[in-house]
Amino acid sequence: MAEAAAEPQAREGKELVPETARRGFRSSLLACADTKLLLGYHYGEWTFGAPSLEAAIAACSMGQDELGHARLLHGLLDHFFGLTQEALIENRGGGDFASIAFLDRTFGSWADLVAANALVDLAVTLEIAAFRGSSLGALRRVVDKLIQEEKFHDEHARAWFQLASAHSSESRASIAHATRAALPAVLAFFGDPASNHDRELLATGIKTRPDAAVREDFLARLGRLARQAGFAAGAMSPGGELWGETERIDWRAWDADRRRTVSGGPADELLEHLSGAKNVEFRRT
């Protein structure tokens, strides 16, 4: 996707992103924004069909949060790169989106939402937290707000992961299956832990923590959650019950711009809902 501005220079009142860090910074922001946009959509879908009225209200609330966060990140993409709302949502196909691949499909059950909440939501929050103390003022001002508003999401994820894992053998199996399905796509979001793909972001001070460290924090937190939910100590480690096909990730296929190892993307019908394409006659001009 081409950048709106031909020259990588700051416009009046804008901060200059060093040329060496522009691509990595844009891809990180875009991956977080796209993932939050899709999370908001999926949470909203489960406002109806949740196991209880309280769960439905929580899903609705989290959906509103994620859509608001996506809008804030879109503002940063406009601020630093001149990428407008129209360019980001209406003028891209599914193959251009950088959202975590687990969100490409419709959620088949509440277990998928819990896995998205516990894994995808956490991963994006930790990635955003890696920009705390950034050398870019506009980014610093947004990061703390996003992290603060994610605390409820984390509490909701941990409560439901434990509850569903203990409720019955069927719900436990569903949570385990959804976790195994989500984990490879989430780890792909962080990139190959043996690489240093975000070195320029760190060298310029835009980012303050490498993805390899964020990945380890993510897995440690999930490991603790799995143990609290009654899974074996090594469930979130290679060969464990919740690890799934993670060892088979082909890092040679990793797309640095989309932060994923698989092709495809959100379905066209889903993108129509996100863009409001079916209701263009009601837009303000």
Side-chain angles (χ1 to χ4, degrees):
M1 179 176 61
E3 292 184 25
E7 295 295 328
Q9 297 179 355
R11 292 173 285 172
E12 185 178 354
K14 308 291 184 179
E15 296 171 279
L16 178 65
V17 178
E19 175 63 24
T20 56
R22 284 177 66 81
R23 181 177 179 180
F25 182 40
R26 185 180 65 172
S27 67
S28 293
L29 277 184
L30 195 58
C32 290
D34 284 350
T35 297
K36 280 185 168 289
L37 190 64
L38 268 292
L39 265 177
Y41 173 84
H42 286 299
Y43 285 155
E45 274 192 310
W46 280 88
T47 298
F48 298 97
S52 67
L53 180 59
E54 291 79 5
I57 293 170
C60 180
S61 177
M62 292 193 300
Q64 289 178 316
D65 287 343
E66 296 300 354
L67 294 177
H69 294 174
R71 188 170 183 83
L72 283 173
L73 293 171
H74 287 165
L76 290 176
L77 285 159
D78 188 15
H79 176 84
F80 291 113
F81 302 104
L83 294 171
T84 65
Q85 184 89 1
E86 181 180 19
L88 290 167
I89 297 180
E90 299 179 25
N91 296 343
R92 291 191 297 160
D96 298 319
F97 269 67
S99 45
I100 290 176
F102 183 67
L103 306 180
D104 288 354
R105 61 185 180 86
T106 299
F107 289 175
S109 71
W110 183 251
D112 287 337
L113 184 141
V114 173
N117 191 187
L119 278 74
V120 176
D121 208 333
L122 175 61
V124 179
T125 300
L126 293 177
E127 178 68 12
I128 290 172
F131 289 93
R132 263 183 167 163
S134 173
S135 58
L136 299 173
L139 179 60
R140 283 197 310 274
R141 290 188 288 273
V142 168
V143 165
D144 286 341
K145 174 180 174 59
L146 297 186
I147 295 172
Q148 178 65 30
E149 293 181 356
E150 283 288 340
K151 289 184 177 179
F152 163 69
H153 297 212
D154 183 55
E155 292 171 1
H156 183 272
R158 288 187 284 107
W160 265 105
F161 196 95
Q162 293 179 61
L163 178 64
S165 298
H167 179 67
S168 67
S169 57
E170 291 80 8
S171 63
R172 177 187 172 89
S174 294
I175 289 296
H177 180 270
T179 300
R180 288 193 297 269
L183 187 59
V186 174
L187 292 185
F189 170 76
F190 293 125
D192 185 351
S195 74
N196 56 352
H197 61 269
D198 51 357
R199 61 186 178 278
E200 295 297 340
L201 293 177
L202 296 164
T204 55
I206 293 175
K207 194 174 185 180
T208 55
R209 197 162 184 238
D211 278 343
V214 178
R215 179 185 190 271
E216 289 305 309
D217 186 17
F218 169 79
L219 286 173
R221 290 180 62 162
L222 277 187
R224 289 194 295 272
L225 176 58
R227 291 192 298 274
Q228 291 165 359
F231 289 95
M236 198 59 69
S237 303
E241 183 180 357
L242 302 178
W243 192 250
E245 299 295 315
T246 302
E247 290 300 312
R248 299 185 182 182
I249 293 177
D250 182 5
W251 293 114
R252 296 170 300 179
W254 194 65
D255 185 334
D257 292 324
R258 300 185 69 205
R259 297 175 70 97
R260 51 197 280 166
T261 59
V262 296
S263 58
D268 290 342
E269 182 179 1
L270 189 156
L271 295 181
E272 284 185 1
H273 284 292
L274 291 176
S275 67
K278 295 180 179 180
N279 294 293
V280 292
E281 67 269 25
F282 296 103
R283 290 183 185 167
R284 289 181 295 178
T285 58

